[in-house]
Amino acid sequence: MSIQLLASAGNFYRDVDITWGEGRGKIQEGGRGLALSLDKLSGSGFQSKNEFLFGRFDMQLKLVPENSAGTVTTFFLSSQGEGHDEIDFEFLGNVSGQPYTIHTNVYTQGKGNKEQQFHLWFDPTAAFHTYTIVWNPHRIVFLVDNSPIRVFNNHESIGIPFPKSQAMKVYCSLWNADEWATQGGRVKTDWALAPFTAYYRNINIDGCAVSSGTSSCKSIGSTNNAKPWQTHELDGKGRNRLRWVQSKHMVYNYCADSKRFPQGFSEECKRSRF
C-alpha cells in the first residue's frame, strides 16, 4: 500500500491522459489548458494518471456556446469495475438562449439515484468558471466558483452507503447524449453546427494519490496537519450561500420527486442538507 499526498499547480501534460477521441482532445497553453471536441463521428475525453482516495478537485471549464443541445460535458470522479463509486458534475447543453443544466449525482457500490440539478446564475459559456468536488470521509461538497451548491453527507450510521473505500480517477469528456440530455431528449443535436468544443483549464488536485492497493487518508498524519479539504464543512456563510443556491437555482431534487419514489424518500433526505 502506498499513499502520497499531492498538491501542486496542475499541468495537463503531467496529470492526465487523453484516452479517446482520435485527436479530438488537444492540450493547449503549454499544459495549462485542454480542449475537447465533438462531431458526428465521436466525442473525446481524458482521465487523470493517478487515482485518489479523498481530496479536493478543481477544474475550470468554459462550456460549448450557443446551441449546445444534445451535448454533455463532464467532470467527475469514478472508480472501476462492478459496484463502482462515482461523484458527478455533468453539464447538459441546451438550445441558444436557454440555460445549461448542471446535473450532480453520487454513486456508491454501483447505485446512484441521488440526482440534484441546477441552473447557473451566470453564462457558463462566456468565460471560465471553477467547478470543485471536495471529498472526505465525512461529506462530499460540490462547489461552483467556491460557492457550495450541494452537500452529500456521510449517513452510514443510518444505513446509507457512502463512497470511502474505492480510489477514483478524475474523468472529463464531451459526448453526444441527445436521446436524453436536452429537454428529456426532445431536442436533438444539430450536427450542422459541429464541431462542438468545451475548454478545460487549470486542473488542480489536492488529494491522496493511491499508487497500489487500497488506502485511507488517516495514514497521512494527525489532524493538526490536516489539509482544509480533509475536514471541510460549511460555515455560516457557506450554509447561507447553499440555501440561496438551492432555493433559487435548484431545478430537480431526488428528495422531492414523489412520482419517482412513491414508496418514500431515502433516509438521508430527512436529515439536514447542511
Side-chain angles (χ1 to χ4, degrees):
M1 181 173 67
S2 175
I3 306 176
Q4 182 182 6
L5 189 64
L6 295 183
S8 61
N11 181 290
F12 285 107
Y13 282 119
R14 183 191 66 208
D15 296 337
V16 310
D17 294 314
I18 298 174
T19 48
W20 63 284
E22 296 180 327
R24 292 173 179 83
K26 294 182 174 65
I27 296 176
Q28 303 175 332
E29 302 177 68
R32 184 186 177 208
L34 195 155
L36 293 180
S37 66
L38 162 70
D39 58 37
K40 198 167 186 177
L41 292 176
S42 179
S44 50
F46 63 91
Q47 68 186 48
S48 64
K49 293 181 179 179
N50 288 315
E51 56 182 2
F52 300 87
L53 190 64
F54 307 123
R56 178 182 175 119
F57 307 85
D58 297 285
M59 187 78 73
Q60 292 185 336
L61 281 84
K62 186 165 69 169
L63 300 178
V64 175
E66 300 176 351
N67 186 353
S68 57
T71 71
V72 176
T73 307
T74 71
F75 162 45
F76 64 101
L77 310 179
S78 183
S79 65
Q80 294 297 301
E82 290 188 26
H84 79 292
D85 294 344
E86 188 172 324
I87 304 169
D88 289 341
F89 265 120
E90 295 185 331
F91 304 87
L92 313 185
N94 213 333
V95 295
S96 297
Q98 296 298 309
Y100 265 84
T101 296
I102 292 190
H103 177 95
T104 67
N105 203 356
V106 176
Y107 288 78
T108 309
Q109 298 161 20
K111 184 177 180 181
N113 297 328
K114 310 289 186 188
E115 300 92 344
Q116 289 183 356
Q117 296 182 340
F118 306 84
H119 287 165
L120 293 165
W121 48 98
F122 55 83
D123 179 358
T125 74
F128 283 95
H129 292 268
T130 302
Y131 303 89
T132 301
I133 296 168
V134 174
W135 170 39
N136 64 39
H138 313 292
R139 63 192 56 85
I140 296 162
V141 184
F142 298 80
L143 304 103
V144 177
D145 290 337
N146 221 33
S147 288
I149 65 167
R150 178 178 185 180
V151 177
F152 185 82
N153 287 304
N154 184 336
H155 285 304
E156 288 181 307
S157 62
I158 58 170
I160 304 302
F162 184 85
K164 67 173 192 180
S165 60
Q166 300 190 72
M168 301 198 235
K169 289 188 174 184
V170 177
Y171 293 86
C172 297
S173 58
L174 174 60
W175 53 289
N176 177 51
D178 66 3
E179 69 276 9
W180 62 269
T182 303
Q183 300 177 32
R186 290 187 297 274
V187 182
K188 303 301 183 182
T189 304
D190 183 352
W191 293 113
L193 301 175
F196 303 95
T197 304
Y199 296 93
Y200 295 76
R201 192 174 70 180
N202 291 343
I203 182 174
N204 194 61
I205 300 172
D206 183 358
C208 299
V210 180
S211 59
S212 62
T214 58
S215 60
S216 166
C217 284
K218 293 176 183 176
S219 312
I220 303 263
S222 70
T223 56
N224 294 332
N225 298 320
K227 294 276 188 174
W229 60 261
Q230 290 179 277
T231 55
H232 187 104
E233 59 183 331
L234 302 189
D235 57 13
K237 181 180 178 183
R239 289 191 294 273
N240 287 338
R241 186 67 173 174
L242 180 65
R243 289 188 187 99
W244 176 79
V245 171
Q246 296 203 339
S247 65
K248 300 292 187 182
H249 297 280
M250 180 184 283
V251 296
Y252 178 81
N253 182 4
Y254 75 103
C255 285
D257 191 341
S258 56
K259 289 184 179 179
R260 184 181 174 198
F261 301 106
Q263 74 281 10
F265 301 126
S266 185
E267 274 303 309
E268 78 274 9
C269 294
K270 304 170 187 176
R271 303 296 178 103
S272 170
R273 296 192 301 268
F274 313 118

